Amino acid sequence: MSGKRHEKFEITPVYAAYLAKFALRISIFTAILVLYITHRDWLGRFMVQPISFGITPIHILWAMFMLMMLGHIFPTDKLSMAILKQKAERFEPVEGYSELSLLRYVRGMNIRAWIVMLVWLSFNAIFGILYLAGIIDEGDLLMLTVFYFLCDYICIIIFCPFQTFIMKNKCCVNCRIYDWGHIMMFTPMLFIRNFFSWSLFFTSIVVMFRWEMIYALHSERFWEGSNKRLQCANCRDKTCLIKKKVGELVKK
C-alpha cells in the first residue's frame, strides 16, 4: 500500500471561474483562427479600420481586452489570490518571519523574473523583425496575440514552462510574475503603429508597472514565508492540482 498522500480534486469557485474563462478563450481563439484561415486579409483591414467606418469583431475584442486589464488595475475580491496577494487587506503575516530570508527570496525571484523577460522579448523580437521585413503582416501579429491570450490560461490551468523551468515557484498563488501575463500577451501589438494595438500594449505596461511597484514596496505580501495566505494549508483557490501533476510528469 502506497504511503503517498493523494490530494483530493476539488473544483473551487475560483477554479470554476478559471475553467469558464478558459472555455471562453478557446472559443475566441477558434473564431479568430477560422477567420484567419478563411479570410486572412480581413484581419489586417480590421486592425486599421477606424471605428467611424463601423464596429468590427476586432473592436469588440479590443474592448474585452481593455476591460480585462482594467479588472487587474482595479482588482475585485472575486479574483484569485494569485492577484489579490498584492492587497494590504490580504496580507496575514507569519509571526517572526525572517527579513533576511525575505530579502534573499526577493533577490532570487527578481533574477529569475528578468530572465523570463529577456527570453520573452528575444523570442518575440523574431516576429518583430519578420513584420518589419514584410514577411508577416498585422493579421499574423493579431493571430499571435490571440494565441498568447489562450496560452495565458493554459499556463494557469495545465502547464507553465516559465514556472517549471525558470521561476520554479510551486503555484500561481506564489508566482512572482503572475500579472505579467498582459504585457506578454500584447507584446506583438507593439510592432503595429495603430491606436488599438498601442493602447493595448501600453495599458499592459501600466498593469505590470503597478504590480512591480507594489512588489518593490511590499514584497512581504508575495512570499509564503511571510504571508500565511499563500501557504498551501490556507489556499482556497486550489487551481494547481492538474498543473502540479503535469509538471511532475514533465520533470521526469
Side-chain angles (χ1 to χ4, degrees):
M1 193 171 175
S2 175
K4 287 187 177 181
R5 182 180 174 183
H6 296 282
E7 293 183 74
K8 181 182 177 182
F9 187 84
E10 178 184 0
I11 297 182
T12 63
V14 170
Y15 196 35
Y18 271 141
L19 292 175
K21 291 176 183 178
F22 187 36
L24 176 62
R25 293 189 182 213
I26 292 172
S27 300
I28 292 171
F29 171 77
T30 303
I32 299 297
L33 180 60
V34 169
L35 190 60
Y36 178 78
I37 293 171
T38 58
H39 298 285
R40 185 170 171 272
D41 56 314
W42 289 7
L43 291 181
R45 291 206 302 270
F46 287 162
M47 283 292 295
V48 298
Q49 178 177 309
I51 199 168
S52 58
F53 290 176
I55 296 176
T56 71
I58 303 307
H59 294 134
I60 297 172
L61 190 62
W62 174 86
M64 188 189 70
F65 285 158
M66 291 298 291
L67 287 172
M68 177 180 68
M69 286 190 283
L70 288 174
H72 281 239
I73 295 173
F74 306 103
T76 67
D77 290 338
K78 293 182 180 181
L79 296 174
S80 164
M81 191 62 192
I83 297 173
L84 295 179
K85 62 175 175 269
Q86 63 185 289
K87 301 181 77 172
E89 58 268 29
R90 295 303 179 106
F91 177 57
E92 188 178 339
V94 172
E95 188 176 347
Y97 72 86
S98 169
E99 293 280 356
L100 180 59
S101 296
L102 173 62
L103 181 63
R104 287 172 178 164
Y105 169 80
V106 170
R107 183 176 60 186
M109 286 294 105
N110 285 345
I111 292 172
R112 292 176 184 178
W114 295 115
I115 290 173
V116 168
M117 184 57 73
L118 179 61
V119 169
W120 185 254
L121 292 178
S122 299
F123 175 69
N124 280 274
I126 297 171
F127 298 106
I129 292 169
L130 293 175
Y131 174 71
L132 295 173
I135 298 172
I136 63 175
D137 59 17
E138 291 85 355
D140 296 309
L141 292 178
L142 177 61
M143 190 69 246
L144 182 62
T145 293
V146 176
F147 175 65
Y148 289 162
F149 173 63
L150 176 62
C151 287
D152 184 45
Y153 264 49
I154 291 176
C155 285
I156 292 172
I157 295 173
I158 302 174
F159 175 71
C160 178
F162 300 112
Q163 174 187 330
T164 302
F165 301 118
I166 302 177
M167 295 305 298
K168 300 187 184 299
N169 52 281
K170 65 181 182 180
C171 65
C172 287
V173 168
N174 283 272
C175 184
R176 155 73 176 84
I177 60 171
Y178 186 83
D179 229 6
W180 284 21
H182 297 103
I183 196 169
M184 298 172 87
M185 192 185 309
F186 298 122
T187 300
M189 294 291 98
L190 173 63
F191 305 115
I192 305 173
R193 288 182 290 181
N194 175 277
F195 167 77
F196 296 107
S197 55
W198 277 9
S199 61
L200 289 173
F201 178 76
F202 288 109
T203 302
S204 73
I205 288 182
V206 173
V207 175
M208 179 183 174
F209 180 76
R210 180 182 181 277
W211 178 267
E212 289 300 306
M213 283 295 296
I214 297 173
Y215 184 84
L217 295 172
H218 303 287
S219 54
E220 68 279 358
R221 300 176 188 173
F222 294 75
W223 180 44
E224 66 172 340
S226 51
N227 189 353
K228 287 182 181 178
R229 291 193 180 232
L230 306 187
Q231 296 173 356
C232 291
N234 301 316
C235 181
R236 296 181 179 179
D237 293 357
K238 305 294 183 184
T239 60
C240 66
L241 296 183
I242 291 177
K243 191 163 72 169
K244 185 183 293 184
K245 295 182 187 301
V246 173
E248 291 171 354
L249 289 174
V250 170
K251 289 177 182 178
K252 284 183 179 180

